[in-house]
Amino acid sequence: MNQMEEAKRSYDAVPIPQELSERVLSEIKKADLRRKGIQMLQKKRMAKRTLASAAAAVVLFTGALNTSTAFAETVSTLPVIGAVAKVLTFRSWETETDDLKISVEIPSVEMIAQEFKGIEKSVNEEIHGLCQKYADEAVKRAEEYKAAFLATGGTEEEWAAHNIQIQVGYEVKNQTEDHLSLLITGNENWSSAYSEMRYYNFDLKKGQLLTLEDILGSSYAEKAEASIRSQMEERQKVQNIGYWEEIPVIDENTRFYVNEQGNPVIVFEAYEVAPGSAGAQEFEIVK
Amino acid sequence: MRQDLYDKLVSYILEDQNKFYRLAFSYVRCQEDALDVVQSAVCKALEHYGMLKNEEAIKTWFYRILVNESLMLLRQKKRMVLSGDEVMEEPAYEEKAFEAQDDFTVHLNHLEEDVQEIIRLRFFEELSLKEIAQIRELNLNTVKAKLSRGLRD
């Protein structure tokens, strides 16, 4: 079997091109994206359902509006954005290690009007939990990525060049006297697969979370879908975006914010209704 | 559960990718082609991981995809050469000259293709006969017979 051993040696001596691990990794990432595309809808529904139940549980929090004095003091020094509600950074931190840089900015919504019955407290709790969870998971994902990268022949120096960054933050999409729209985002610079976007819309007059139904009426789903379809057709012509045939069902879990005119703007993430290259797609539904 | 299996598949691929490349290379004998084969095998495996039954089957299942991809590429190449208007190439010629230093490998290359394949899987990849039978979708006895024929010749 000496010859056999020799042959095996020459078999094992076939040089492995550097490109191999890159190509294998790129396939894995592609597959992750595909899976994400399928899971996104289910996940989104789940997430929004928790929000709905949080809103339903609001009544229970009525008595617990007051926050700590320290917090209240910080609050009073921050600029007021609107007359009845303000959004401020509740907690913000940034760390940088050799491996990654993470910056987190967690917002809080403070309602001034009395009739809010503590709704912001439950929403705030949910927002804080969401931000923290995303940050924790993103760090874990980055660590896993690093382990895989090193295990497949990458060096520490090459890894350092990746410059991994994680950002959790928020944006006030729009605020008028009547409503406030807040967007919570989570991003990782090395993978778009786990980006998180969550919108919160408050009706400042009634002191509750806004739904599409509140704005568009009971036939909101049909109305929105018709409008989206016609806008898609237009964009298809002008920008040559190849939309999927099926669009996600419009229901109480659909992501949207309210623009200055008071119209809801429905937001689909990249891959949700069109190829990823087209990016996120927004559709304003005129009342 | 499903997610778990998917993660296991991914880590298996990451861990054994060099082996995949060597096996693919032993079929297609060219770096670019071998890379293509591994890449499309990974792509197919991840796309169809739902067909994977359990963790124990990962290896044979993946090897089957890999071997099929390699054979498919060889078939395509053959077809391309035959249908081309350009000067006909004789792809096997170069390959034999390249391996000329190694008596055994030359010998191996002269055997029937499926016998070669079994020898490679058995001795280079150190798979069991049963695993080979599963990968090539052959009867265990057929594999045994082919192997002993290959070793005798």
Side-chain angles (χ1 to χ4, degrees):
Chain A
M1 278 294 145
N2 214 358
Q3 278 184 324
M4 189 67 89
E5 270 163 34
E6 218 166 273
K8 177 162 170 40
R9 212 169 302 135
S10 80
Y11 176 91
D12 285 339
V14 169
I16 304 294
Q18 275 195 325
E19 229 187 309
L20 179 68
S21 65
E22 286 162 30
R23 289 177 66 167
V24 168
L25 265 184
S26 86
E27 275 313 316
I28 292 174
K29 274 203 207 163
K30 260 194 266 171
D32 276 347
L33 276 184
R34 276 198 303 269
R35 281 159 53 79
K36 183 75 185 173
I38 299 162
Q39 284 173 0
M40 202 152 45
L41 286 173
Q42 304 162 351
K43 213 177 118 194
K44 196 186 71 175
R45 296 241 162 82
M46 290 273 287
K48 284 286 169 129
R49 214 168 285 145
T50 26
L51 174 57
S53 59
V58 156
V59 190
L60 299 176
F61 287 100
T62 316
L65 236 165
N66 293 330
T67 41
S68 76
T69 43
F71 179 60
E73 273 161 25
T74 341
V75 164
S76 57
T77 59
L78 286 153
V80 179
I81 300 168
V84 272
K86 38 189 179 174
V87 178
L88 30 97
T89 301
F90 169 68
R91 196 186 316 136
S92 126
W93 47 278
E94 225 172 274
T95 34
E96 193 170 354
T97 65
D98 291 343
D99 287 337
L100 55 92
K101 188 176 163 185
I102 176 162
S103 69
V104 178
E105 231 181 334
I106 301 179
S108 260
V109 181
E110 179 86 349
M111 304 292 182
I112 292 166
Q114 285 306 305
E115 58 270 30
F116 272 88
K117 307 183 193 80
I119 185 175
E120 78 272 29
K121 187 163 193 301
S122 61
V123 172
N124 282 339
E125 275 172 8
E126 184 184 310
I127 291 174
H128 301 165
L130 184 75
C131 292
Q132 193 59 50
K133 186 159 163 273
Y134 184 86
D136 292 346
E137 284 175 0
V139 170
K140 216 174 123 221
R141 278 196 291 270
E143 279 165 2
E144 278 167 10
Y145 178 33
K146 184 185 181 188
F149 183 79
L150 295 179
T152 50
T155 65
E156 288 278 355
E157 292 89 70
E158 281 167 348
W159 172 257
H162 275 64
N163 190 21
I164 296 283
Q165 288 178 21
I166 297 162
Q167 275 182 328
V168 181
Y170 68 92
E171 189 187 326
V172 177
K173 287 301 277 192
N174 186 43
Q175 181 172 24
T176 66
E177 277 194 5
D178 301 332
H179 54 256
L180 164 69
S181 288
L182 187 63
L183 165 64
I184 314 288
T185 56
N187 279 305
E188 284 147 82
N189 68 336
W190 60 277
S191 159
S192 58
Y194 299 101
S195 295
E196 185 86 53
M197 282 164 84
R198 195 77 72 80
Y199 290 91
Y200 293 90
N201 299 292
F202 300 90
D203 183 329
L204 301 181
K205 285 256 159 76
K206 292 194 189 130
Q208 62 189 33
L209 286 166
L210 262 179
T211 64
L212 282 172
E213 191 174 353
D214 294 336
I215 308 171
L216 299 173
S218 58
S219 60
Y220 70 94
E222 294 80 32
K223 214 167 165 182
E225 187 174 340
S227 169
I228 290 171
R229 291 252 181 231
S230 77
Q231 289 183 60
M232 278 181 168
E233 219 164 284
E234 213 159 287
R235 274 181 225 179
Q236 199 137 19
K237 272 184 227 145
V238 182
Q239 300 168 38
N240 202 19
I241 297 174
Y243 288 102
W244 313 145
E245 222 61 33
E246 294 227 348
I247 66 171
V249 179
I250 306 295
D251 57 16
E252 72 272 18
N253 302 320
T254 300
R255 244 175 274 231
F256 74 99
Y257 65 88
V258 182
N259 69 9
E260 230 160 294
Q261 287 74 42
N263 289 328
V265 179
I266 292 181
V267 184
F268 295 115
E269 279 186 32
Y271 296 100
E272 219 173 344
V273 291
S277 57
Q281 295 289 311
E282 298 194 352
F283 299 93
E284 179 180 356
I285 315 296
V286 181
K287 270 194 272 195
Chain B
M1 174 62 206
R2 274 280 112 183
Q3 177 63 32
D4 209 34
L5 198 55
Y6 182 83
D7 290 341
K8 288 220 167 83
L9 177 61
V10 169
S11 50
Y12 167 72
I13 290 171
L14 286 172
E15 214 162 278
D16 275 15
Q17 50 178 312
N18 289 359
K19 284 188 170 179
F20 304 157
Y21 176 81
R22 287 204 179 92
L23 185 64
F25 189 87
S26 78
Y27 282 91
V28 298
R29 298 265 134 211
C30 149
Q31 175 173 325
E32 253 330 289
D33 290 348
L35 283 170
D36 284 346
V37 165
V38 173
Q39 191 172 1
S40 55
V42 170
C43 174
K44 286 198 177 154
L46 294 176
E47 220 165 59
H48 302 292
Y49 83 103
M51 287 157 68
L52 186 55
K53 282 184 205 78
N54 55 51
E55 198 190 328
E56 289 74 48
I58 287 183
K59 189 174 175 184
T60 45
W61 182 75
F62 190 88
Y63 269 58
R64 181 150 70 209
I65 298 175
L66 189 66
V67 168
N68 284 340
E69 284 298 311
S70 305
L71 295 175
M72 204 150 72
L73 187 125
L74 285 179
R75 266 201 302 276
Q76 276 166 1
K77 284 233 146 166
K78 225 175 250 171
R79 208 176 306 141
M80 250 158 47
V81 171
L82 288 177
S83 64
D85 288 331
E86 336 74 55
V87 184
M88 292 273 188
E89 271 184 84
E90 198 186 340
Y93 180 75
E94 203 183 349
E95 157 199 323
K96 279 171 193 158
F98 170 69
E99 294 288 351
Q101 326 85 315
D102 191 334
D103 285 350
F104 180 78
T105 317
V106 172
H107 185 65
L108 187 58
N109 284 340
H110 281 298
L111 293 173
E112 283 167 64
E113 264 175 44
D114 54 345
V115 178
Q116 280 183 35
E117 207 181 317
I118 290 169
I119 291 182
R120 278 201 303 262
L121 291 172
R122 177 72 190 94
F123 295 102
F124 299 169
E125 285 300 320
E126 287 163 355
L127 293 166
S128 75
L129 289 174
K130 207 172 134 214
E131 283 171 326
I132 298 171
Q134 278 167 4
I135 290 169
R136 295 301 292 125
E137 288 167 321
L138 292 170
N139 189 304
L140 182 58
N141 286 327
T142 319
V143 175
K144 278 184 190 162
K146 279 182 194 284
L147 182 63
S148 63
R149 178 144 42 90
L151 293 178
R152 193 178 57 235
D153 288 346

